[in-house]
Amino acid sequence: MEPQGLDEIRPGCDVDERVAHMNAGGVLAQMNFPSFPGFSARLFATEDSDFSLALVRAYNDWHIDE
């Protein structure tokens, strides 16, 4: 069920291998959550809630576009 060593871990960086891995687990899609801004985007929290919202929106737009 779980890998016991590095040689048992499925390859996941190659796109074709990643899709095969997802298919094996019955996963049809994934959404990646960035770790840079932290949980609930706390990195962008400021005293000014409008500014904080603008930071989160800018980061989300960049993340989607890139």
Side-chain angles (χ1 to χ4, degrees), residues 4-21:
Q4 299 298 312
L6 292 176
D7 59 323
E8 296 178 357
I9 296 175
R10 294 182 185 180
C13 292
D14 176 71
V15 68
D16 295 323
E17 292 291 336
R18 183 70 188 152
V19 170
H21 173 73

Side-chain angles (χ1 to χ4, degrees), residues 22-44:
M22 290 170 60
N23 286 340
V27 176
L28 299 177
Q30 272 185 317
M31 176 175 258
N32 297 322
F33 291 94
S35 58
F36 168 70
F39 181 74
S40 197
R42 70 178 172 265
L43 177 70
F44 303 132

Side-chain angles (χ1 to χ4, degrees), residues 41-63:
R42 70 178 172 265
L43 177 70
F44 303 132
T46 68
E47 296 292 322
D48 183 347
S49 61
D50 291 333
F51 181 61
S52 294
L53 181 59
L55 290 172
V56 170
R57 286 181 172 160
Y59 181 80
N60 285 345
D61 291 345
W62 169 83
H63 198 262

